[in-house]
Amino acid sequence: MSMRVLAIDPAVRNTGYAILEGDPRKPTVMTYDVITVPKKIPQSGALSAIRSHLVHLITQYEPDEVAVEGIIFVQSHRTAISMGAARASAMIAAADHGLAVYEYSPKKIKMAVVGKGTADKAQVAFMVRALLGLAETPSSDAADALAIALAHLQASDPLRAKLLDRRLI
């Protein structure tokens, strides 16, 4: 089953995004990049910028579904709150356009793309480049978004969905 997915790796200052189309065996990269928000812009402005940029992508590319990385354990409560806010900004952009949002744990995404749930960022970026036939290795935030998109396309198979612990949020 072919679909177009917008995948988001949320963070207040560097939100990675990717749009893939197709099925798990033959995905096509539509676009990918990082929404970078300068530190001089307050967090509220950063969240607004993320939402606006994602709304523009949703309008331009018309994805069928959205996939995000689940909340990861972090040492700092501040970091967790900040990541949650960026994630909420992305989810609101999707919800405003009636799109279903699915989440995947970082470990399951790495397992789907690299074959190892403890893979590091360089391994994820390398595998994403290889699997998608990219000319260059994407930045880690964009690579993470591409990995989320690949995991989501794999999860379109009901058997893989269970293995990847696909959750509608």
Side-chain angles (χ1 to χ4, degrees):
M1 179 181 116
S2 184
M3 79 165 66
R4 185 175 290 181
V5 59
L6 166 59
I8 304 162
D9 180 35
V12 171
R13 299 295 166 194
N14 294 295
T15 291
Y17 68 85
I19 299 176
L20 296 187
E21 183 174 66
D23 63 47
R25 290 172 301 287
K26 189 75 176 123
T28 301
V29 178
M30 307 296 292
T31 189
Y32 66 91
D33 205 351
V34 178
I35 304 165
T36 302
V37 182
K39 287 194 185 301
K40 67 180 184 221
I41 295 175
Q43 184 175 351
S44 58
L47 296 174
S48 178
I50 292 165
R51 184 184 169 283
S52 295
H53 197 101
L54 293 173
V55 164
H56 173 73
L57 289 170
I58 290 167
T59 304
Q60 182 179 358
Y61 290 97
E62 299 179 340
D64 299 308
E65 296 176 344
V66 175
V68 298
E69 186 174 76
I71 297 290
I72 58 171
F73 174 78
V74 289
Q75 298 292 330
S76 158
H77 293 297
R78 251 187 141 135
T79 303
I81 290 168
S82 164
M83 286 173 64
R87 188 175 126 112
S89 186
M91 290 169 55
I92 290 167
D96 283 350
H97 289 82
L99 296 171
V101 180
Y102 294 88
E103 81 170 352
Y104 301 90
S105 76
K107 190 174 190 169
K108 297 286 184 177
I109 294 164
K110 291 173 184 177
M111 187 65 96
V113 175
V114 181
K116 187 169 112 180
T118 57
D120 63 30
K121 287 195 171 287
Q123 290 171 308
V124 171
F126 176 84
M127 281 305 293
V128 161
R129 178 181 178 177
L131 290 169
L132 295 171
L134 302 175
E136 57 190 40
T137 303
S139 70
S140 63
D141 295 313
D144 286 351
L146 286 161
I148 295 164
L150 285 167
H152 184 73
L153 288 177
Q154 287 182 26
S156 63
D157 173 341
L159 294 174
R160 298 281 298 162
K162 192 141 184 80
L163 289 171
L164 290 171
D165 194 19
R166 171 184 170 126
R167 280 195 300 264
L168 179 65
I169 53 173

